[in-house]
């Protein structure tokens, strides 16, 4: 297999830079503004280069600017570019929404052609367009033409197979998008491991656009492995960021040959407490915040909270946040008066 040199150069495009070329993946129900800010502002400078909102569904009417503002939330202090991600198939409504995004703090517009959700797929949006490369390209072109902001695209590698990957990428490039994130799984592969990174090498060979590789980046060394195996220009980390919010700092330390931060149980407890406070401060109800907290603890029980796995089922039944931390045995580690105003969420 071809081996590429491990290139971690920043990505510079007209009007948009990713420095470093490591992005937080959009994840509906996870990467809301509170989570994004915690990651973007809590990570070391130079650890993470960009992010975007969870997908915003656009049907026949363009989204109102307030909807875009709400999805973006309060601007992270870190100045890392944050885009809005749109998903739909109506060229006019999508193009007009992209135009409105320029009236917000969005740094770019990302288009979602990866969503496998049945309701979205049945309506011909998200990953459904991967089977209709000409329609997909026409849609991208309409949006690029209307959008004052740079337009990026995120795709899965196909619906049932990856035969159209090169055709889809050629259409996206001709339509004027400036970068493509390729999730190395098909729609029918859901989140199956391992993601097939050889598709990323094909994507790199098929287009002059920078390709961001996504799928199955779990540990800092995986970025290097993906880079060497595929030649991608950048990396997007999804679920591993919830499982281990320190992964961006660890990846930076790995690249700089430094020892990596090794969060202990108390670090996880503090992170979870800050997450809960950040959500409540941004208007989530205690119930919503507790739901997200449980979700985060479930993800983290696969890694940093593994030793608490036995207590998790009971904690999942807790009705309030303090009870939740007590049940997990993390209460002592939660600083009193935990809130958003602290310096580092890590
Ligand atoms: C719960 C969840 C929600 C997701 N929501 C979105 C989304 O809103 N937009 C999008 O482009 N991808 C979404 N994805 C896909 C991720 O961005 C990413 O492509 C996928 O998780 C693979 O990366 P990973 O293996 O690093 O997790 C979602 C994934 C998950 C698990």
């Amino acid at each position: 297999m071809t081996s590429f040199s491990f290139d971690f150069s920043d990505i510079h495009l007209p009007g948009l830079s990713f420095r470093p070329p490591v992005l937080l993946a959009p994840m509906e129900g996870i990467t809301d503004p509170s989570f994004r800010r915690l990651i973007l502002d809590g990570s070391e400078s130079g650890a993470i280069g960009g992010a975007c909102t969870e997908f915003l569904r656009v049907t026949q009417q363009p989204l109102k600017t307030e909807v875009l503002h709400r999805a973006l939330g309060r601007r992270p202090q870190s100045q890392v570019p944050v885009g809005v991600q749109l998903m739909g198939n109506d060229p006019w409504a999508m193009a007009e929404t992209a135009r409105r995004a320029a009236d917000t703090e969005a740094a770019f517009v990302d288009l979602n052609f990866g969503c496998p959700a049945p309701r979205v797929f049945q309506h011909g949006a998200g990953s459904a367009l991967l089977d209709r490369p000409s329609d997909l390209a026409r849609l991208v072109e309409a949006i690029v033409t209307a959008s004052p902001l740079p337009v990026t695209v995120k795709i899965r590698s196909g619906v049932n197979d990856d035969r159209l990957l090169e055709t889809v990428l050629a259409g996206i490039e001709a339509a004027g998008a400036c970068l493509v994130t390729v999730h190395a799984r098909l729609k029918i592969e859901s989140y199956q491991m391992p993601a097939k990174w050889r598709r990323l090498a094909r994507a790199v060979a098929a287009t002059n656009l920078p390709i961001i590789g996504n799928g199955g980046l779990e540990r800092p060394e995986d970025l290097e492995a993906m880079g060497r195996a595929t030649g991608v220009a950048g990396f997007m980390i999804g679920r591993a960021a919830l499982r281990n919010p320190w992964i961006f700092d660890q990846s930076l330390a790995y690249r700089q040959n430094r020892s990596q931060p090794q969060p202990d149980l108390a670090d996880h407890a503090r992170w979870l407490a800050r997450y809960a406070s950040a959500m409540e401060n941004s208007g989530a109800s205690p119930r919503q915040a507790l739901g997200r907290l449980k979700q985060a603890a479930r993800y983290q029980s696969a890694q940093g909270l593994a030793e608490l796995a036995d207590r998790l089922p009971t904690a999942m039944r807790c009705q309030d946040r303090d009870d939740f931390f007590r049940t997990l045995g993390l209460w002592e580690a939660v600083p009193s008066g935990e809130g958003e105003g602290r310096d580092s969420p890590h």
Side-chain angles (χ1 to χ4, degrees):
M1 193 203 281
T2 318
S3 178
F4 297 85
S5 59
F6 183 40
D7 182 5
F8 238 90
S9 308
D10 297 341
I11 295 178
H12 294 290
L13 302 163
L16 180 65
S17 294
F18 294 125
R19 294 172 297 191
V22 182
L23 279 67
L24 170 66
M27 289 178 285
E28 197 219 359
I30 298 176
T31 57
D32 58 20
S34 306
F35 181 87
R36 275 200 318 268
R37 260 204 325 279
L38 221 53
I39 294 285
L40 297 181
D41 289 342
S43 299
E44 268 185 68
S45 163
I48 176 165
C52 68
T53 64
E54 302 152 87
F55 75 76
L56 299 171
R57 183 79 171 95
V58 181
T59 50
Q60 275 137 24
Q61 290 302 318
L63 297 180
K64 295 201 165 88
T65 313
E66 298 97 84
V67 174
L68 304 176
H69 277 303
R70 210 176 316 125
L72 285 160
R74 194 150 55 79
R75 181 208 277 266
Q77 288 162 358
S78 65
Q79 305 296 323
V80 166
V82 177
V84 284
Q85 189 187 64
L86 308 181
M87 181 170 69
N89 59 8
D90 182 307
W92 173 75
M94 289 283 278
E96 178 58 20
T97 306
R99 205 187 54 69
R100 292 178 188 181
D103 298 330
T104 70
E105 289 182 346
F108 61 102
V109 172
D110 187 58
L111 306 177
N112 178 322
F113 299 116
C115 182
R119 226 166 355 123
V120 170
F121 192 82
Q122 280 152 18
H123 284 95
S127 59
L129 282 153
L130 297 172
D131 266 347
R132 290 160 34 212
S134 314
D135 291 346
L136 189 154
R138 267 195 296 276
L139 181 59
V140 175
E141 189 176 11
I143 296 161
V144 169
T145 305
S147 174
L149 296 174
V151 176
T152 61
V153 172
K154 181 164 180 280
I155 61 171
R156 278 193 181 237
S157 304
V159 177
N160 298 305
D161 60 58
D162 56 22
R163 277 178 293 183
L164 290 176
L165 180 59
E166 282 82 359
T167 314
V168 166
L169 287 165
I172 292 170
E173 183 172 355
C178 64
L179 170 145
V180 185
T181 300
V182 180
H183 179 182
R185 297 184 177 97
L186 304 172
K187 183 229 171 205
I188 56 164
E189 289 172 342
S190 188
Y191 294 97
Q192 214 168 283
M193 287 295 270
K196 296 194 173 126
W197 288 355
R198 61 185 159 70
R199 292 172 179 146
L200 302 177
R202 276 176 50 197
V204 170
T207 173
N208 293 312
L209 296 176
I211 296 291
I212 303 285
N214 168 243
L217 293 169
E218 306 273 327
R219 301 159 307 159
E221 51 272 37
D222 292 341
L223 278 66
E224 178 172 4
M226 180 188 276
R228 287 194 190 284
T230 68
V232 291
F235 308 87
M236 179 180 275
I237 299 176
R239 290 158 301 160
L242 181 56
R243 231 175 273 139
N244 169 22
W246 292 266
I247 189 164
F248 296 98
D249 285 351
Q250 290 172 341
S251 301
L252 178 64
Y254 177 82
R255 294 198 297 281
Q256 295 178 338
N257 242 333
R258 289 188 279 123
S259 62
Q260 297 172 26
Q262 298 299 338
D264 58 16
L265 275 185
D267 293 317
H268 277 274
R270 281 192 289 273
W271 190 91
L272 289 170
R274 284 171 189 148
Y275 182 37
S277 299
M279 282 184 286
E280 286 177 13
N281 291 345
S282 71
S285 68
R287 197 159 155 269
Q288 287 167 328
L290 181 64
R292 291 291 172 96
L293 196 59
K294 288 178 178 174
Q295 171 176 259
R298 233 186 347 255
Y299 268 81
Q300 293 180 14
S301 71
Q303 215 165 324
L305 292 183
E307 59 193 278
L308 302 186
D310 288 354
R311 300 182 192 174
L312 213 58
T314 316
M316 288 300 148
R317 291 194 289 275
C318 291
Q319 297 299 316
D320 80 69
R321 155 188 168 170
D322 294 356
D323 205 19
F324 175 77
F325 281 112
R326 281 198 193 91
T327 305
L328 284 178
L330 296 176
W331 180 247
E332 295 303 316
V334 175
S336 55
E338 189 53 76
E340 277 217 286
R342 299 172 66 92
D343 289 335
S344 162
H346 286 182

